[in-house]
């Protein structure tokens, strides 16, 4: 190849780098980037090949240009292609992924195993109720209410997709085990008030009560004891639920996991519980 032909190809490459539209027939966007051509526009303007291939056709090959002393830098075409990949759609998607809930419960509600998991189990209504609640007790009640009706599948198995989700709030949880404490641990964690010294949850009612005693949250039941909404209601070492409300006649409305094989609303007499756990 003659020196004149080589210099002409080098010149073509330089022009392409300075104005890629000369090669691809596309316009340069207002942002200063080069829009990635669609399949149809690419076929009309420069065939189905890539931008780098278009440059290669214009110059014969980069190796011949280098031999003529016109080295362009191997990264230049790649840099242009990378720039074209930064489309507005891609940037918008990244921004969406970076967004998070801003709620009264703080980071605990938006973190791992937080309200995103709740949404998958319960639906969006619980999100708005819990996010708008003013106190930990209100958040606990709202989240527990959202789970009423979640049942074992099949009944008596201690298993279901929802129950598997409840277990994620307790370290060392055992599939197929009784799950009232798993449920209470999950609700508390969603509300930003995790159970356990390190927030690890509890798999047994005795563990819930021991934690409550060690942290000054345990209240033994007796005359004049009235729990608050969101407190845990404990029945010895056998069962734990969540206080929903206290009725004027003193009876206690509850939400209990693993009551008749489901998450159920219930009403308890004031003397049934052995104690309560303050959660707010």
């Amino acid at each position: 190849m003659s020196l004149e032909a080589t210099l002409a190809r080098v010149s073509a490459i330089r022009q392409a780098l300075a104005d890629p539209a000369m090669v691809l027939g596309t316009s340069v966007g207002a942002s200063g980037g080069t829009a990635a051509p669609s399949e149809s526009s690419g076929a009309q303007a420069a065939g189905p090949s890539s931008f780098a291939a278009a440059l290669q056709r214009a110059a014969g090959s980069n190796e011949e240009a280098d031999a003529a002393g016109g080295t362009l830098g191997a990264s230049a075409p790649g840099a242009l292609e990378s720039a074209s990949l930064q489309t507005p759609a891609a940037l918008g998607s990244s921004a969406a992924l970076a967004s998070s809930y801003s709620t009264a419960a703080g980071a605990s509600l938006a973190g791992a195993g937080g309200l995103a998991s709740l949404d998958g189990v319960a639906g969006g209504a619980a999100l708005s109720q819990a996010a708008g609640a003013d106190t930990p007790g209100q958040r606990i009640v709202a989240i527990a209410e959202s789970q009423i009706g979640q049942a074992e599948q099949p009944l008596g198995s201690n298993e279901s997709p929802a129950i598997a989700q409840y277990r994620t709030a307790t370290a060392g949880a055992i599939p197929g085990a009784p799950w009232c404490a798993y449920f209470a641990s999950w609700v508390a964690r969603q509300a930003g008030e995790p159970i356990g010294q390190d927030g690890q949850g509890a798999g047994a009612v005795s563990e819930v009560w021991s934690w409550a005693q060690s942290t000054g949250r345990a209240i033994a039941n007796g005359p004049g004891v009235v729990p608050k909404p969101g407190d845990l209601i404990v029945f010895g070492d056998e069962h734990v639920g969540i206080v929903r409300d206290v009725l004027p006649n003193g009876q206690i409305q509850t939400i209990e996991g693993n009551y008749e094989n489901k998450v159920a609303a219930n009403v308890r007499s004031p003397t049934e519980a052995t104690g309560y756990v303050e959660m707010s």
Side-chain angles (χ1 to χ4, degrees), residues 133-234:
D134 294 328
T135 68
Q138 291 173 340
R139 292 196 296 271
I140 288 171
V141 170
I143 293 167
E145 285 176 336
S146 74
Q147 302 301 294
I148 293 173
Q150 291 285 356
E152 296 173 0
Q153 301 173 7
L155 295 180
S157 66
N158 286 330
E159 284 294 342
S160 77
I163 294 169
Q165 187 70 35
Y166 302 153
R167 288 197 298 264
T168 64
T170 300
I174 302 171
W179 51 278
C180 63
Y182 293 155
F183 175 71
S185 296
W186 182 84
V187 171
R189 179 177 174 184
Q190 298 300 318
E193 300 292 328
I195 292 172
Q197 182 176 353
D198 299 312
Q200 75 275 19
V205 180
S206 59
E207 294 176 6
V208 174
W209 189 249
S210 293
W211 167 73
Q213 288 179 313
S214 68
T215 55
R217 299 169 179 262
I219 302 175
N221 195 16
V225 173
V226 179
K228 302 184 299 297
D231 287 350
L232 305 185
I233 181 169
V234 178

Side-chain angles (χ1 to χ4, degrees), residues 1 6 9-10 13 52-68 70 72:
M1 179 181 294
T6 300
R9 291 180 179 180
V10 171
I13 293 174
L55 284 178
Q56 189 172 13
R57 287 198 305 275
S61 72
N62 289 335
E63 292 179 359
E64 292 184 17
D66 289 343
L72 298 174

Side-chain angles (χ1 to χ4, degrees), residues 21-108:
M22 294 180 63
V23 176
L24 295 179
T26 58
S27 59
V28 177
S31 65
T34 303
S38 65
E39 185 176 349
S40 59
S41 64
Q44 294 174 356
S49 58
S50 67
F51 180 71
L55 284 178
Q56 189 172 13
R57 287 198 305 275
S61 72
N62 289 335
E63 292 179 359
E64 292 184 17
D66 289 343
T71 302
L72 298 174
S75 63
L80 287 173
E81 288 189 346
S82 297
S84 70
L85 292 175
Q86 303 303 314
T87 61
L91 293 175
S93 176
S94 298
L97 289 173
S99 66
S100 62
Y101 291 105
S102 176
T103 67
S108 295

Side-chain angles (χ1 to χ4, degrees), residues 225-251:
V225 173
V226 179
K228 302 184 299 297
D231 287 350
L232 305 185
I233 181 169
V234 178
F235 304 89
D237 290 341
E238 301 298 322
H239 189 61
V240 61
I242 294 166
V243 175
R244 189 180 195 181
D245 200 4
V246 180
L247 299 174
N249 63 2
Q251 290 188 307

